């Protein structure tokens, strides 16, 4: 009997093998059996610089595996390409300490050596030039028994990104587009893919990084870069084109060519490790724009809002041009995308509606979480090529486990014959309900497994949840979960034949629906981020929304992630009850049990 192929895919986030979103996936015979991010277990949002030790233990326990079952380990970072990164770092250090006088080149050897030492360049060189040392680090961090010799495969960061999208897109032939901050040295790449064969057709290296540019703009607005880019996106819709701001930004981002260029701005504000000096970049923007950056918790001015509009518009133009360029040079109109920049839902809408792509697929885990899907699929000999409709890859909990916890916590609860009916009535009554059901979703969007739900028809509901439940800015919009059969009735340019189950693309709400569902519409541009819900993946959730529709005539509910500000999405029943005890929601539906606020 042939042995099953069981691949452990890891985003290590230690010693230069990435830094953020530590996570794992278990790929069994070419399909994702389990996936989780470390933050869900340790409670530390982002868990930067941490190896996903707990995730491996949880995954093995859930899937009933031991190290002896694992046939391979996949990692979406390449030590060989890290050697190119180190060479690029060295080149920058030398150039920074070089002067030219009377056609004579002078080098400041002392400063060069000091920078090499402070950047730990020689030690990192010795580490990455010996793949066995890298392997040994992974084995030690994993806690793998020393008698095992499981093969490890390392894949290019950007190829892992594009594979995460292509293998779940359902396409046979496609163009792959990756845009992020930086991989090993690449910040953007284009791929031609046919039957799981990947051909890179273009690459833009650091410092030409749109991801860095958008992150620095986020920092200029007083938000946390590499974390709160969604705030920049949401704020942008409240702005308008200020020609002076726009013209000035176009001096640092070349938008008019098919391929953008932001190299000079990033390079001028760079620091060691091919990162950027945020303070220096912010001061550079202040000098150029003629107004101050916003500090955290300061009021947002008209200049800041218009700056956000310009940055978002420039991003949309740059990436749409890039997609069009890829389609033109290949003639292929199936486009699959990944990389952190594609977490921008509004940009994805613009590309879907205005680019030359005929079929457009966005990897729902577009950021570095998706690496564990892509590298695992690249290693697999039987990689899945079915379209992905569900990313519920995490753990679930039986009613027996949940009830034991509720009894131990002295919680007051009832067991419902039909929890979906009970919850639909509560939401129709204006209640805010936490919904905990089935396997946990992977990624940043709550998709009906760990969600907070409310009535989208009540205009003040979004303000209420922002203020009392999520503790975040009132101007930030909420997404919605919609019965798939009604999506084309509610949203403009919605293709009846397609599903959009991941809240990764925005849609404009049709005029006749805007007053009916105000709580899930961005007030400035009338868009929403829908999750189309069908019975293939979300049977109970679909039934609950169907009940709500029968009660109200509205085929959707407000859906936001089950967490408070600065917290990861809730994973366990214990954390769900903690949340219910502390946050003024009205009810918690967990498994088939219902807890209500007295």
């Amino acid at each position: 009997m042939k042995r099953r192929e069981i691949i452990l895919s890891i985003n290590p986030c230690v010693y230069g093998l990435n830094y953020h979103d530590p996570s794992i996936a278990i790929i069994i015979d070419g399909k994702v059996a389990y996936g989780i991010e470390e933050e869900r277990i340790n409670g530390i949002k982002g868990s930067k610089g941490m190896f996903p030790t707990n995730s491996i233990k949880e995954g093995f326990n859930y899937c009933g595996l031991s190290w002896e079952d694992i046939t391979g380990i996949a990692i979406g970072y390449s030590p060989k390409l890290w050697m190119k990164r180190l060479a690029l770092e060295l080149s920058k250090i030398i150039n920074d300490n070089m002067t030219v006088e009377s056609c004579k080149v002078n080098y400041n050897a002392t400063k060069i050596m000091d920078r090499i030492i402070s950047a730990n360049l020689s030690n990192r060189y010795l580490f990455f030039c010996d793949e066995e040392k890298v392997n040994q680090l992974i084995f030690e961090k994993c806690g793998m028994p020393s008698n095992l010799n499981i093969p490890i495969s390392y894949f290019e960061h950007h190829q892992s990104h594009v594979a995460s999208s292509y293998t779940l897109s359902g396409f046979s032939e496609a163009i792959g587009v990756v845009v992020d901050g930086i991989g090993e040295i690449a910040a953007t790449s284009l791929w031609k893919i046919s039957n799981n064969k990947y051909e890179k057709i273009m690459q833009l290296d650091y410092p030409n990084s749109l991801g860095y540019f958008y992150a620095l703009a986020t920092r200029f607005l007083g938000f946390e870069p590499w974390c709160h880019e969604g705030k920049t996106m949401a704020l942008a819709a409240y702005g308008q084109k200020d020609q002076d701001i726009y013209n000035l930004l176009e001096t640092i981002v070349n938008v008019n060519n098919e391929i953008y260029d932001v190299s000079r701005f990033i390079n001028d504000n760079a620091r060691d490790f091919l990162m950027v000096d945020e303070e220096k970049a912010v001061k550079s923007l202040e000098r150029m724009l003629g107004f101050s950056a916003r500090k955290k918790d300061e009021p947002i001015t008209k200049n800041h809002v218009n700056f956000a509009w310009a940055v978002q518009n420039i991003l949309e133009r740059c990436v749409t041009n890039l997609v069009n360029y890829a389609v033109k040079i290949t003639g292929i109109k199936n486009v699959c995308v990944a990389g952190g920049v594609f977490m921008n839902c509004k940009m994805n809408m613009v590309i879907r509606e205005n680019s030359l792509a005929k079929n457009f697929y966005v990897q729902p885990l577009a950021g570095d979480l998706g690496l564990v899907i892509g590298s695992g699929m690249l290693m697999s000999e039987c990689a899945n090529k079915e379209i992905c409709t569900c990313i519920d890859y995490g753990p679930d909990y039986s009613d027996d486990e949940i009830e034991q916890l509720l009894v131990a916590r002295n919680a007051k609860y009832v067991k419902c014959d039909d929890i979906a009916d009970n919850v639909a009535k509560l939401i129709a009554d204006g209640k805010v309900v936490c919904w905990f059901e089935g396997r946990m979703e992977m990624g940043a969007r709550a998709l009906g497994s760990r969600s907070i739900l409310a009535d989208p028809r009540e205009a003040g509901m979004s303000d209420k949840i922002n203020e009392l439940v999520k503790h975040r800015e009132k101007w930030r919009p909420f997404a919605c979960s919609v019965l798939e059969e009604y999506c084309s009735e509610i949203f403009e340019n919605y293709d009846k034949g397609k599903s959009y189950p991941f809240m990764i693309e925005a849609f404009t709400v049709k005029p006749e629906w805007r007053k009916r569902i105000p709580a899930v519409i961005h007030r400035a541009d009338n868009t929403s981020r829908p999750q189309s819900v069908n019975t293939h993946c979300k049977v109970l959730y679909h039934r609950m929304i169907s009940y709500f529709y029968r009660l109200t005539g509205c085929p959707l509910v407000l859906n936001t992630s089950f967490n408070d500000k600065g917290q990861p999405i809730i994973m366990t029943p214990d954390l769900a009850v903690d949340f219910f005890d502390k946050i003024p929601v009205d009810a918690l539906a967990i498994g088939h049990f219902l807890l209500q606020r007295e």
Side-chain angles (χ1 to χ4, degrees):
M1 185 176 179
K2 185 180 177 182
R3 185 184 180 189
R4 288 192 305 169
E5 178 194 72
I6 304 178
I7 294 168
L8 172 64
S9 188
I10 307 172
N11 187 20
C13 297
V14 292
Y15 213 87
L17 296 165
N18 211 352
Y19 178 60
H20 54 88
D21 298 325
S23 49
I24 66 107
I26 296 171
I27 316 289
I28 300 180
D29 294 334
K31 294 189 177 182
V32 183
Y34 188 87
I36 194 170
E37 45 267 68
E38 187 75 0
E39 68 168 24
R40 300 292 178 88
I41 305 167
N42 65 23
I44 303 170
K45 186 77 171 176
S47 294
K48 294 176 181 177
M50 299 181 183
F51 190 84
T53 306
N54 297 305
S55 300
I56 294 172
K57 291 176 182 176
E58 288 282 340
F60 279 18
N61 181 59
Y62 186 87
C63 296
L65 300 173
S66 67
W67 280 107
E68 286 76 9
D69 299 310
I70 303 301
T71 57
I73 296 172
I75 292 173
Y77 253 82
S78 167
K80 290 179 181 177
L81 287 175
W82 256 94
M83 299 303 290
K84 290 186 177 182
R85 183 184 179 111
L86 294 171
L88 193 60
E89 284 191 61
L90 180 59
S91 174
K92 170 142 183 52
I93 289 171
I94 292 171
N95 288 335
D96 286 349
N97 293 279
M98 177 183 73
T99 57
V100 180
E101 296 177 7
S102 302
C103 298
K104 183 181 179 182
V105 179
N106 299 308
Y107 298 95
N108 189 325
T110 302
K111 286 189 176 180
I112 289 172
M113 287 307 300
D114 286 345
R115 287 272 300 277
I116 288 173
I117 292 168
S118 66
N120 199 24
L121 210 61
S122 56
N123 287 339
R124 285 189 288 140
Y125 172 82
L126 292 172
F127 176 73
F128 284 108
C129 72
D130 184 352
E131 198 167 283
E132 281 306 309
K133 286 184 179 179
V134 186
N135 290 350
Q136 193 57 41
L137 174 74
I138 299 299
F139 292 152
E140 288 173 4
K141 290 290 185 181
C142 284
M144 194 175 75
S146 57
N147 62 314
L148 295 179
N149 188 25
I150 300 173
I152 301 182
S153 293
Y154 299 92
F155 298 95
E156 180 181 347
H157 183 85
H158 272 214
Q159 187 176 8
S160 297
H161 267 314
V162 77
S164 75
S165 185
Y166 170 75
T167 54
L168 303 186
S169 68
F171 299 146
S172 177
E173 183 180 56
I175 285 295
V177 181
V178 180
V179 186
D180 62 5
I182 188 173
E184 295 88 2
I185 60 172
T188 292
S189 58
L190 299 179
W191 303 75
K192 184 178 179 181
I193 318 161
S194 181
N195 296 317
N196 280 323
K197 305 287 185 188
Y198 295 82
E199 176 192 353
K200 190 190 298 179
I201 57 177
M202 193 198 79
Q203 177 170 307
L204 303 179
D205 292 341
Y206 172 94
N208 193 7
S209 173
L210 264 185
Y212 276 6
F213 167 70
Y214 203 86
L216 290 170
T218 298
R219 171 68 175 77
F220 185 86
L221 290 167
F223 308 133
E224 184 181 346
W226 293 283
C227 182
H228 290 153
E229 279 73 12
K231 292 186 180 183
T232 302
M233 177 187 72
L235 183 64
Y238 291 96
Q240 59 187 5
K241 188 170 186 177
D242 181 312
Q243 197 64 56
D244 291 337
I245 292 174
Y246 204 90
N247 290 345
L248 288 167
L249 285 174
E250 280 195 312
T251 66
I252 63 172
V253 186
N254 184 339
V255 190
N256 297 313
N257 296 335
E258 287 184 302
I259 307 299
Y260 49 81
D261 191 351
V262 68
S263 303
R264 184 173 177 180
F265 175 69
I266 302 300
N267 191 63
D268 288 348
N269 295 287
R271 60 178 176 83
D272 289 342
F273 305 102
L274 301 189
M275 297 300 291
V276 285
D277 186 326
E278 294 174 25
E279 293 300 326
K280 185 178 178 182
V282 165
K283 286 182 171 58
S284 172
L285 286 170
E286 285 179 330
R287 286 192 300 271
M288 181 186 74
L289 294 167
F291 59 88
S292 297
R294 173 181 173 266
K295 291 182 173 60
K296 185 181 178 183
D297 298 326
E298 281 187 347
I300 298 172
T301 68
K302 182 180 179 181
N303 279 336
H304 294 134
V305 177
N306 290 343
F307 171 81
W309 185 95
V311 167
Q312 177 69 23
N313 184 269
I314 285 171
L315 181 77
E316 292 167 4
R317 286 178 62 193
C318 287
V319 183
T320 301
N321 287 347
L322 182 71
V323 170
N324 287 344
Y325 173 78
V327 172
K328 285 176 186 176
I329 64 173
T330 63
I332 299 170
K333 294 189 175 182
N334 296 327
V335 177
C336 54
V337 301
V341 168
F342 287 101
M343 292 296 290
N344 192 300
C345 308
K346 171 66 186 338
M347 180 194 75
N348 293 337
M349 180 183 88
V350 171
I351 295 169
R352 185 190 68 243
E353 293 185 350
N354 299 314
S355 76
L356 297 176
K358 182 179 180 182
N359 298 301
F360 181 60
Y361 181 82
V362 186
Q363 159 59 256
L365 306 173
D368 282 359
L369 284 178
L371 294 173
V372 295
I373 309 297
S375 59
M377 291 299 189
L378 287 169
M379 191 179 193
S380 174
E381 294 181 0
C382 44
N384 172 54
K385 284 207 308 185
E386 300 171 0
I387 189 166
C388 175
T389 59
C390 185
I391 52 172
D392 294 357
Y393 297 144
D396 58 358
Y397 301 87
S398 68
D399 274 358
D400 286 344
E401 290 175 296
I402 293 170
E403 189 163 26
Q404 285 175 18
L405 180 277
L406 295 176
V407 170
R409 294 285 300 264
N410 294 316
K412 293 182 179 180
Y413 67 92
V414 294
K415 187 170 185 179
C416 303
D417 292 330
D418 190 347
I419 191 75
D421 182 47
N422 291 81
V423 169
K425 289 174 180 173
L426 286 169
I427 297 173
D429 234 10
K431 306 298 185 185
V432 178
V433 182
C434 297
W435 175 270
F436 184 111
E437 184 251 325
R439 297 188 67 176
M440 181 178 65
E441 319 91 328
M442 201 175 182
R445 323 286 191 202
L447 300 170
S449 294
R450 307 288 187 272
S451 292
I452 298 172
L453 310 175
D455 191 338
R457 302 169 301 156
E458 187 178 330
M461 185 60 75
S462 57
D463 286 347
K464 175 182 176 181
I465 296 176
N466 270 329
E467 181 181 357
L468 300 177
V469 180
K470 303 290 284 188
H471 304 110
R472 65 182 200 176
E473 299 87 349
K474 280 191 174 183
W475 46 266
R476 292 179 63 186
F478 287 102
C480 56
S481 298
V482 192
L483 298 176
E484 189 168 273
E485 54 269 36
Y486 293 95
C487 286
S488 60
E489 179 184 322
I490 299 167
F491 302 107
E492 293 180 359
N493 301 312
Y494 190 99
D495 189 332
K496 270 188 177 182
K498 293 181 180 178
S499 297
Y500 295 89
F502 302 122
M503 293 181 182
I504 197 71
E505 299 179 52
F507 284 82
T508 300
V509 177
K510 290 182 177 180
E512 60 268 30
W513 276 89
R514 291 173 190 171
K515 289 185 178 179
R516 295 178 64 180
I517 52 172
V520 294
I521 297 177
H522 194 303
R523 293 166 183 170
D525 63 8
N526 295 313
T527 61
S528 190
R529 289 181 292 117
Q531 171 200 8
S532 60
V533 182
N534 58 44
T535 55
H536 299 303
C537 181
K538 299 284 186 182
V539 177
L540 185 64
Y541 195 49
H542 186 277
R543 188 160 80 239
M544 185 275 295
I545 302 173
S546 296
Y547 284 145
F548 181 77
Y549 174 55
R550 291 175 198 170
L551 289 168
T552 65
C554 179
L556 66 146
V557 295
L558 181 154
N559 174 11
T560 188
S561 54
F562 192 169
N563 64 318
D564 196 1
K565 180 181 179 180
Q567 293 181 339
I569 292 176
I570 294 295
M571 183 173 96
T572 65
D574 200 35
L575 291 173
V577 175
D578 280 345
F579 185 95
F580 178 71
D581 286 344
K582 296 173 185 174
I583 305 296
V585 291
D586 298 299
L588 167 63
I590 180 166
H592 287 86
F593 304 99
L594 185 65
L595 290 71
Q596 292 193 66
R597 184 81 57 205
E598 292 183 358

